[in-house]
Amino acid sequence: MFRTIVLTLTCLCNPRAWCTTEPADTARVVQLLQAARQPSNQSILGFIHDPVLTAQALHLADSIGWERGIFRGHLWSLFSLTDLNFSAGMDTWDHHVRGATQRLGQANDQERVFLYRTIGRTHVYAMNIDTAVMYIDSAQWVADRSGDKRSVALVTYTRAHCMRVAERWGEAFRLSLQANAMAEAIDDPLLKTWGYNLSGMVRGRLVTLKGP
Amino acid sequence: MKDFTRSLALADSMSIHFIRVVNHMNWGFVMQVKGRWSEALQQYRAVRAVGKEASYTDESMVLPDLGIGHMLVRLDSLDKAELILRRIKGSEALIASGYQQEFNNAWALLHLRRGQFKEAVTFARMAFHTEQRDENDVIKRDASRILPKPTKH
């Protein structure tokens, strides 16, 4: 009886409990996030994200204070920003990076790999190679621990691409061949397509610059 | 080129236009670095063809256009080359691409071939001294090969 009173008082004293987190609301967020993600071979991840539905999901999750929903809303937003070539600008990007990284505790292994990999890849394009490598290392660590072979292959490909942008051709070549072997082992056509393209470029650039 | 062929076959089978574009661009660039101008031109034209098929905008095709223009200079089709290069010269799309020094080399070479040495030197110098997004080793190599020629005159 006493425990029930304490529990009731604890709940009443918690301002979060005053907001009615109806299961229907969280279900609606999940529904919006699912609708926002569409399978697609236009992205190496295997899906693309609708920015409007993602924004609606994030807004709703935020209004009900559902942390898992907020995390996924920010993550989806980062995906859609990269899909759309950062057209929304880097301030928006930073906002979503903050939103997602502050809630890393809400992420599962795959989401963590994708988050680190997406941030790392953006730093590659901005030519912040050292920072990019740091994020790719984090992605690698989570991917290795998760045992998910596709995640490991994806991160290896990303690292190879990073080395290619940094014009470290030897490392890029070794890593791209490694990524290709992994993609072949799991027979992933999307990873193979991107991987062969990268190894082709790196192989071509490995020759001397003697040229014509 | 086995890697590019395999990647293209997969991208074609899945109709992934973006990878097809990246693939032909990379293939073209590798041929360009090796001095195989006709093969490079063929690849850059293939990018254009994919772009047309996928209804890409002209702005998004600035790099294949630059490649085509540059290779036409190399192959001595100077009038055709100038038409293309003049269209993209100073364009926002070219500046945003981050590969302006590649353009400056092509422009310098065009003027060198026409005997307009002053302009050739100006643009080759700019290409040699200014960093671009990447592939700076190729840019500097090409610029350094253009520079001594007009300065002799």
Side-chain angles (χ1 to χ4, degrees), chain B residues 22-72:
Chain B
V22 174
N23 230 305
H24 285 299
M25 272 308 293
N26 285 345
W27 195 336
F29 186 72
V30 166
M31 292 295 104
Q32 182 183 327
V33 175
K34 289 170 188 275
R36 288 156 66 172
W37 317 125
S38 300
E39 286 162 86
L41 179 63
Q42 199 183 329
Q43 292 303 326
Y44 291 135
R45 282 184 169 151
V47 181
R48 254 300 185 182
V50 176
K52 197 173 173 188
E53 195 186 318
S55 308
Y56 286 178
T57 59
D58 272 351
E59 286 75 32
S60 66
M61 289 284 111
V62 71
L63 289 179
D65 284 350
L66 169 56
I68 292 169
H70 193 169
M71 292 310 100
L72 286 173

Side-chain angles (χ1 to χ4, degrees), chain B residues 88-102:
Chain B
I88 59 174
K89 187 173 185 262
S91 67
E92 272 181 40
L94 178 65
I95 295 163
S97 75
Y99 290 99
Q100 223 180 332
Q101 304 320 315
E102 169 93 29

